[in-house]
Amino acid sequence: MNIVFATNNKNKIKEITPLLDSKIKILSLKDISCFDNIPETGNSLKENAFLKANFVKQHYNYDCFADDTGLFIDYINGEPGVYSARYAGEDGNSKKNIEKVLQKLNGVDNRKAHFTTVISLILNDKYFFFDGSVYGRISLKIKGDKGFGYDPVFIPDGYDISFAQMPLSEKNKISHRAIAIKKLIKFFNSII
Ligand code: IMP
């Protein structure tokens, strides 16, 4: 069974491929020659994940899944949320995004936050959704240089180091995306 993962992020494809039964072949957007700028204009992670998967289904007629992730910070009513990638501007600069978060939480004690990932799957014209969240807090300053995005300021519950201070293998065991992907894999493996 061929299924498209609507991403150009090689790391995401690498993370999931070894976990799947060999009967399932994951194709990237590049593999199907999709170089479109897929719109992400939804107001929720679920909507955006669905928009991406549905775009591929409609335009390329492949079964497909797509993910969307956001960082939700309690004190600022869930910001940056669905706008996490471009919180500090359209260029999607992680350093600027982090600076904005630290500035908004300057002097604030309640630093609770969580990451959530939603995966939307379109298979045989049916829609399925899987999600995963990891809870933690925003650090007072940048810690570590691994990972990407908001990793240097996110400390998961039960740890006193940030995602950016952990080996990727450890982050991948507990992350929001890992939790959602595990649910997707369980589903795939139950239907083949
Ligand atoms: P995407 O939906 O996976 O593209 O994620 C949207 C944005 O959320 C990214 O541009 C990052 O800023 C942030 N993000 C997503 N996943 C992570 C993560 O695992 N660590 C830190 N930031 C993340």
Side-chain angles (χ1 to χ4, degrees):
M1 173 171 83
N2 283 343
I3 188 144
V4 174
F5 186 178
T7 182
N8 282 316
N9 184 330
K10 279 190 201 138
N11 291 321
K12 289 186 182 176
I13 304 241
K14 252 196 225 160
E15 193 179 334
I16 188 166
T17 304
L19 302 172
L20 287 167
D21 189 286
S22 56
K23 285 184 205 137
I24 298 174
K25 184 166 165 36
I26 300 287
L27 304 172
S28 68
L29 290 173
K30 198 171 154 213
D31 291 332
I32 60 163
S33 300
C34 169
F35 303 106
D36 306 283
N37 198 0
I38 303 180
E40 286 186 51
T41 50
N43 290 318
S44 66
L45 300 178
K46 189 174 176 181
E47 221 180 306
N48 274 342
F50 178 76
L51 281 174
K52 287 186 260 187
N54 197 41
F55 183 95
V56 170
K57 180 68 190 172
Q58 297 300 321
H59 292 82
Y60 295 84
N61 200 25
Y62 275 96
D63 282 337
C64 177
F65 64 93
D67 68 336
D68 201 41
T69 295
L71 172 68
F72 296 79
I73 301 174
D74 289 13
Y75 180 74
I76 45 178
N77 302 315
E79 283 184 27
V82 72
Y83 307 107
S84 292
R86 291 169 192 84
Y87 193 40
E90 278 307 306
D91 57 347
N93 181 306
S94 290
K95 199 165 168 266
K96 286 192 206 157
N97 288 340
I98 285 177
E99 274 166 17
K100 185 167 175 182
V101 161
L102 289 179
Q103 193 251 320
K104 288 223 173 194
L105 294 188
N106 190 15
V108 173
D109 285 338
N110 177 7
R111 308 186 73 86
K112 281 188 203 158
H114 63 277
F115 279 110
T116 294
T117 293
V118 176
I119 296 175
S120 164
L121 166 69
I122 303 179
L123 185 67
N124 302 328
D125 295 317
K126 291 197 184 81
Y127 307 144
F128 305 89
F129 294 92
F130 307 89
D131 65 357
S133 296
V134 62
Y135 290 80
R137 65 184 190 277
I138 302 299
S139 55
L140 293 171
K141 55 183 177 98
I142 288 174
K143 288 156 78 123
D145 55 11
K146 297 185 184 51
F148 72 102
Y150 297 92
D151 280 347
V153 289
F154 185 80
I155 302 175
D157 285 347
Y159 289 79
D160 51 19
I161 56 171
S162 76
F163 265 168
Q165 291 173 301
M166 286 179 190
L168 188 60
S169 56
E170 195 171 345
K171 179 190 164 192
N172 283 346
K173 277 186 210 149
I174 60 166
S175 82
H176 42 296
R177 198 165 16 259
I179 294 168
I181 284 176
K182 272 182 207 149
K183 290 180 187 172
L184 174 75
I185 287 167
K186 200 170 164 200
F187 175 78
F188 275 146
N189 290 339
S190 74
I191 57 162
I192 49 158

